[in-house]
Amino acid sequence: MTLSLRPYQRAAIEALYDYFSASSGNPLVVMPTGTGKSLCIAGFTREAIAAYGDTRVLILTHVKELIQQNFMALLRAWPEAPAGIYSAGLSRRDIHAQILFAGIQSIHRHARQVQRCDLVLIDEAHLLGRGDSGMYRSFLAQLNEINAGLLKVVGFTATPYRLDSGMLHEGKDRLFTDIAFQVPVLEMIQQGYLCPVVPKQTSTQLDVGGVGTRGGEFIAKDLEAAVDRDEVTRAAVAEIVQHGEGRGSWLVFCSGVAHARHVRDAVREHGISAETVTGDTPGPERDGILAAFKAGRLRCVTNANVLTTGFDAPGTDLIALLRPTKSVGLYVQMVGRGTRLAEGKDDCLVLDFAGNTARHGPIDTVDGRKKEPAGDGEAPIKVCPECQTINHASARHCIECDHEFPPPVVKVAPQAASNALLSTQIQAAWCDVTGITYARHDKPGKPASLRVTYECGLARHSEWVCFEHTGFPRDKAVGWWRRRAGNLPPPVTVDEALAQLDQLRRPIAIQVRPAGQYTEIAAARFV
């Protein structure tokens, strides 16, 4: 049976084939929340068994909802799949299934029962901690020993950095060795696969000035004590209610169990249905609350540290951040709960009472390598007087209502610190192109690409066009070519492209946007 995969999903699977043909490490596949990691896992598993019939695959994750979701994604695509589940929460222990979807909490002591295994796929791989301790590390070490060191491990995640700090594939204690495939959240929004997120200015802001840090994150007990104040909670909830008018599904991230309950009670005082989910919520009660929320029967759910990963409620159209964090991964995961597409949903409103957007910057340019998040000072922003949407200080028009701002009177710092949730909400700059050079770019173990360098006065900006790649990168290259060559057939190789450069239209200007420490070419203008 052939799976129906989107171009970037096909590209992710092809990238894994390319990786394993040239390398022997443990790669990561990085795909934003809502872009279908479950389908990629299903496709890769199906094709691995089609190629080698006795391949045994173990798919690990941490919550029963994801186990069930990944299992059902495979069965929808391959109803006769030899698959089973090992999870105490789902009351199943199909330990001998050829394809086994398992919860790490249930299976971590049973490597000897699992025995032979060729491939381990880990969903939500960012939850793996540092060092050799922990359930994942000990279980994988035993399984690898049983399988004579031949075990292959692939991690799937929306955020390739640990929840405390550091990239998953960097450092001496890493389990994962490389990123085999990554697709940016901004690209997925621009392609229409994800829903835009829009930040609004909030008058209420949580004060964490006296809260200490441990392990790269605010100390939980001190954080809750600092923010769980009745007058602050009531003020924040009043703003949520005001901005949430006309929006049907509100998800609120809180700083602790008691805080989540207090926020819930304050929401209820406005006559709005609200419930709370925490780690202490009994399973049946939690399932009932989340089912009602997804079905639209419950308008608001407050939570403390349980709905940041693995929670799928596409209709969520308002997210309130009442949970300050120094964790880049946690910040991106919380905002990512609102990026899924749903019928009747145009965007997701994000109300950040916690200062996370100013602390970390846009979710598509955050840097997981930073030990301490930047942005402790005041971010260069301005608030639209018409709709109260947060804009970067360089914006000429409001990203939400197109209100025209007066000309700037101060120089904006070039670093993209912001209260913008996407880098497109930071004003891109047009640069006149004074020259263009083209060159073949070869990277070991990867198909060649065409490097295009634009000279803009003394500045240089580059982009890479991947004609020889497959799937999504190839589709992007074809689009790039057609904008410049009209009906001329897109080349198959870089050398073929280089031979036809004289037939390309050359842009007179390019639009350049900050992207972390680099720049991104967002658009081109032709004569």
Side-chain angles (χ1 to χ4, degrees):
M1 178 174 292
T2 302
L3 291 172
S4 178
L5 297 172
R6 293 171 176 173
Y8 65 87
Q9 293 168 334
R10 181 73 255 168
I13 294 174
E14 294 294 336
L16 287 174
Y17 296 150
D18 293 343
Y19 180 85
F20 284 122
S21 68
S23 306
S24 58
N26 300 325
L28 288 163
V29 172
V30 182
M31 296 170 58
T33 299
T35 55
K37 292 191 295 294
S38 294
L39 200 56
C40 279
I41 290 171
F44 188 54
T45 299
R46 175 70 181 94
E47 292 176 21
I49 292 177
Y52 302 97
D54 64 345
T55 299
R56 191 164 193 225
V57 184
L58 177 60
I59 297 100
L60 295 176
T61 190
H62 68 298
V63 293
K64 67 177 184 179
E65 289 85 359
L66 273 177
I67 299 169
Q68 184 76 19
Q69 177 181 310
N70 291 337
F71 176 72
M72 294 307 299
L74 177 66
L75 290 189
R76 282 192 295 269
W78 185 18
E80 67 275 18
I85 289 174
Y86 195 95
S87 166
L90 295 172
S91 301
R92 290 185 59 174
R93 289 179 170 81
D94 309 322
I95 194 75
H96 299 298
Q98 182 177 0
I99 305 169
L100 185 58
F101 294 83
I104 187 62
Q105 297 93 331
S106 299
I107 206 169
H108 75 280
R109 289 193 177 95
H110 303 295
R112 300 293 172 189
Q113 289 180 264
V114 174
Q115 281 296 309
R116 190 182 70 80
C117 186
D118 304 290
L119 186 62
V120 174
L121 310 181
I122 301 177
D123 198 6
E124 305 292 351
H126 57 277
L127 294 177
L128 271 73
R130 291 184 177 276
D132 293 325
S133 61
M135 291 182 287
Y136 273 109
R137 293 301 187 108
S138 60
F139 175 73
L140 291 173
Q142 290 182 59
L143 203 58
N144 195 45
E145 180 183 352
I146 292 168
N147 289 276
L150 299 177
L151 189 69
K152 294 184 184 297
V153 180
V154 180
F156 290 80
T157 182
T159 49
Y161 20 80
R162 300 174 183 89
L163 288 183
D164 49 9
S165 64
M167 303 297 287
L168 282 171
H169 64 297
E170 296 179 354
K172 64 179 182 180
D173 56 359
R174 62 184 181 171
L175 170 64
F176 301 104
T177 53
D178 305 275
I179 294 179
F181 178 82
Q182 184 168 14
V183 62
V185 62
L186 178 59
E187 206 162 88
M188 293 291 90
I189 291 173
Q190 291 173 333
Q191 293 284 331
Y193 293 117
L194 290 179
C195 174
V197 285
V198 177
K200 287 285 186 183
Q201 171 75 0
T202 61
S203 299
T204 306
Q205 286 290 304
L206 304 180
D207 183 3
V208 294
V211 179
T213 300
R214 183 184 298 132
E217 178 60 297
F218 291 116
I219 299 172
K221 182 179 179 181
D222 296 348
L223 177 64
E224 185 171 24
V227 305
D228 189 15
R229 300 176 181 274
D230 185 64
E231 67 279 8
V232 176
T233 296
R234 290 180 181 277
V237 167
E239 290 193 60
I240 294 172
V241 172
Q242 175 191 350
H243 288 298
E245 185 177 357
R247 293 182 180 265
S249 297
W250 307 353
L251 183 59
V252 185
F253 292 96
C254 302
S255 298
V257 173
H259 188 216
R261 290 171 179 157
H262 294 155
V263 173
R264 174 202 62 195
D265 293 345
V267 172
R268 287 175 174 176
E269 289 178 5
H270 288 267
I272 293 166
S273 59
E275 296 291 348
T276 294
V277 172
T278 72
D280 299 326
T281 305
E285 180 183 347
R286 168 178 164 156
D287 292 346
I289 290 172
L290 298 184
F293 182 69
K294 294 178 184 180
R297 299 190 303 272
L298 176 64
R299 193 169 191 184
C300 176
V301 170
T302 70
N303 82 103
N305 302 319
V306 294
L307 300 181
T308 52
T309 61
F311 176 58
D312 176 7
T316 301
D317 56 1
L318 184 150
I319 288 175
L321 302 180
L322 287 165
R323 204 296 190 193
T325 181
K326 289 189 174 183
S327 166
V328 169
L330 182 56
Y331 160 59
V332 175
Q333 290 284 351
M334 289 190 292
V335 175
R337 297 308 105 192
T339 57
R340 292 182 184 273
L341 297 173
E343 186 176 353
K345 175 182 171 184
D346 296 323
D347 56 41
C348 180
L349 179 65
V350 178
L351 304 175
D352 185 6
F353 300 92
N356 293 320
T357 49
R359 190 173 291 116
H360 299 293
I363 60 172
D364 59 311
T365 63
V366 292
D367 186 355
R369 294 179 177 85
K370 296 174 182 176
K371 298 297 182 183
E372 290 292 335
D376 292 332
E378 186 175 343
I381 65 167
K382 55 189 173 188
V383 180
C384 176
E386 300 294 331
C387 69
Q388 286 73 56
T389 295
I390 299 170
N391 292 262
H392 191 266
S394 62
R396 299 293 178 265
H397 294 83
C398 175
I399 59 173
E400 180 71 1
C401 72
D402 206 36
H403 168 79
E404 184 174 359
F405 293 109
V409 294
V410 295
K411 183 177 179 180
V412 177
Q415 183 178 357
S418 70
N419 277 34
L421 284 168
L422 295 169
S423 60
T424 47
Q425 294 162 355
I426 300 173
Q427 188 74 18
W430 283 98
C431 305
D432 292 335
V433 175
T434 55
I436 306 176
T437 59
Y438 303 90
R440 179 186 176 90
H441 179 74
D442 292 294
K443 186 175 181 180
K446 302 291 183 181
S449 59
L450 177 68
R451 178 172 180 168
V452 185
T453 301
Y454 300 92
E455 301 173 12
C456 301
L458 297 178
R460 301 289 187 274
H461 304 285
S462 296
E463 63 180 342
W464 285 261
V465 188
C466 303
F467 293 110
E468 297 185 19
H469 289 60
T470 58
F472 191 58
R474 167 69 184 178
D475 291 344
K476 287 183 60 181
V478 169
W480 182 94
W481 181 265
R482 286 176 175 160
R483 286 189 292 274
R484 288 158 176 78
N487 294 325
L488 190 67
V492 176
T493 67
V494 172
D495 290 340
E496 186 181 334
L498 289 169
Q500 302 178 74
L501 293 179
D502 58 340
Q503 301 183 64
L504 298 186
R505 292 194 302 157
R506 296 196 171 201
I508 59 171
I510 57 172
Q511 191 180 44
V512 179
R513 179 186 300 118
Q517 59 182 315
Y518 304 104
T519 57
E520 173 189 63
I521 297 170
R525 181 183 295 152
F526 300 89
V527 177

